[in-house]
């Protein structure tokens, strides 16, 4: 049997990382983990418990309640995808709401939140055979990942894609709101002190601006096969 490797996919918001990671995992029969969903899950908990008054994280309080947050992915037979559960409740729809999107970068910048989630992510990928997407997967979560992909695309193209996705999910928003939120998140994600989004020297860059999802998948599959064959 072919050895199963760890694949880290990082990049800016809405570059198509999750779509690519999901398709790649399906093709390879690997586990797919959307690490951004976990940061969104913690944000849902904080919003519900008034831990983001006026949009500012109550850092000390958030640290004390982290132990109460239990996040789990469970397979949904209807959608054939993994849904995120927060303390037993399916929050898959909630984590995509604009209110969550506009607050998540602030929560993802907190050291203790990152510490908790990175430990959980590492446990999920202990045995290889995993495709995980996020911002710090190749740099912090799995620095020894056999394959690291860094995905980019023009901001306007990314905003258009995310806008279409949200409209299809019947989330009320505008293109301008999506573009502004995306730029703000890019800025916060790449300038924060704790594990900022960086391109590691060993990562392979894929610009998806002019690529179809199928083309992206083929490129990623070729890189995977190349890596697996060399093991
Ligand atoms: O990929 P996404 O848009 O669902 O990510 C949501 C937020 O979480 C985004 O602001 C970046 C942050 N994030 C992070 O800091 N580290 C990760 N590994 C994944 C996401």
């Amino acid at each position: 049997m072919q050895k199963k490797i760890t694949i880290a996919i990082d990049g800016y918001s809405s570059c198509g990382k999750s779509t690519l990671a999901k398709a790649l995992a399906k093709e390879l029969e690997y586990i797919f983990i959307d690490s951004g969903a976990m940061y969104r899950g913690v944000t849902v908990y904080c919003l519900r418990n008034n831990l983001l008054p006026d949009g500012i994280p109550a850092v000390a309080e958030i640290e004390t309640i982290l132990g109460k947050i239990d996040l789990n992915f469970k397979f949904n037979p209807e959608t054939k995808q993994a849904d995120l559960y927060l303390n037993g409740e399916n929050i898959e729809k909630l984590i995509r709401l604009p209110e969550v999107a506009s607050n998540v970068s602030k929560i993802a910048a907190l050291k203790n939140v990152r510490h908790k989630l990175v430990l959980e992510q590492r446990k999920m990928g202990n045995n290889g055979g995993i495709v995980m997407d996020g911002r710090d997967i190749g740099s912090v979560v799995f620095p020894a990942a056999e394959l690291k992909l860094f995905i980019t695309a023009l901001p306007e193209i990314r905003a258009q894609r995310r806008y279409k996705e949200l409209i299809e999910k019947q989330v009320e928003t505008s293109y301008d709101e999506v573009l502004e939120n995306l730029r703000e998140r890019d800025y916060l994600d790449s300038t924060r002190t704790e594990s900022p989004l960086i391109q590691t020297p060993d990562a392979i860059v894929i610009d998806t601006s002019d690529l179809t999802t199928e083309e992206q998948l083929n490129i990623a599959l070729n890189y995977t096969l190349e890596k697996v064959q060399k093991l």
Side-chain angles (χ1 to χ4, degrees):
M1 201 178 80
Q2 262 183 347
K3 186 177 182 294
K4 291 201 164 192
I5 63 169
T6 298
I7 303 176
I9 303 189
D10 289 300
Y12 294 102
S13 298
S14 307
C15 290
K17 295 186 304 295
S18 291
T19 308
L20 173 61
K22 218 179 281 176
L24 189 58
K26 190 170 172 211
E27 197 67 36
L28 298 166
E29 296 184 6
Y30 280 21
I31 294 167
F32 158 66
I33 300 289
D34 171 359
S35 69
M38 299 171 75
Y39 289 94
R40 288 168 181 262
V42 176
T43 307
V44 168
Y45 185 96
C46 292
L47 285 168
R48 276 184 175 172
N49 291 278
N50 299 322
L51 297 170
L52 268 158
D54 301 321
I56 300 163
V59 182
E61 275 169 276
I62 293 174
E63 282 176 10
T64 62
I65 53 79
L66 280 177
K68 292 185 186 166
I69 302 179
D70 177 41
L71 293 168
N72 264 305
F73 287 100
K74 274 190 217 158
F75 186 72
N76 179 336
E78 256 175 50
T79 59
K80 305 220 180 330
Q81 292 184 7
D83 286 350
L84 183 67
Y85 283 71
L86 166 65
N87 296 337
E89 176 193 350
N90 187 328
I91 56 160
E92 191 56 32
K93 278 215 173 101
L94 288 179
I95 59 172
R96 304 292 159 202
L97 292 177
E99 195 189 2
V100 176
S102 55
N103 283 292
V104 63
S105 287
K106 296 176 235 169
I107 296 299
L110 304 180
K111 188 177 180 179
N112 289 349
V113 172
R114 301 204 71 83
H115 184 71
K116 171 189 168 75
L117 297 191
V118 167
L119 286 181
E120 290 177 14
Q121 289 153 5
R122 283 190 185 142
K123 265 191 228 155
M124 294 171 182
N126 256 349
N127 305 315
I130 188 165
V131 185
M132 191 177 286
D133 81 295
R135 305 293 187 288
D136 61 341
I137 312 305
S139 58
V140 176
V141 182
F142 299 126
E146 288 91 343
L147 179 62
K148 297 180 188 177
L149 301 176
F150 191 88
I151 316 295
T152 64
L154 292 171
E156 291 75 14
I157 291 181
R158 294 191 273 133
Q160 191 54 48
R161 287 180 189 158
R162 180 57 69 112
Y163 175 66
K164 192 169 161 259
E165 213 175 270
L166 290 170
I167 293 300
E168 278 166 9
K169 286 184 182 161
Q170 292 170 349
V171 175
E172 226 175 276
T173 187
S174 68
Y175 168 80
D176 288 342
E177 187 186 1
V178 174
L179 179 62
E180 196 192 314
N181 172 252
L182 204 132
R183 286 190 195 279
E184 195 184 315
R185 277 201 289 158
D186 284 352
Y187 178 76
L188 289 173
D189 293 341
S190 45
T191 56
R192 69 182 176 221
T193 325
E194 290 301 322
S195 319
L197 168 65
I198 52 158
Q199 183 193 318
T200 59
D202 53 350
I204 298 164
V205 180
I206 304 177
D207 185 335
T208 66
S209 300
D210 298 315
L211 296 176
T212 63
T213 48
E214 205 183 340
E215 287 167 336
Q216 295 169 38
L217 174 62
N218 284 333
I219 293 170
L221 272 174
N222 284 337
Y223 282 125
T224 309
L225 292 180
E226 221 173 77
K227 288 282 172 189
V228 170
Q229 278 161 7
K230 281 187 193 152
L231 291 173

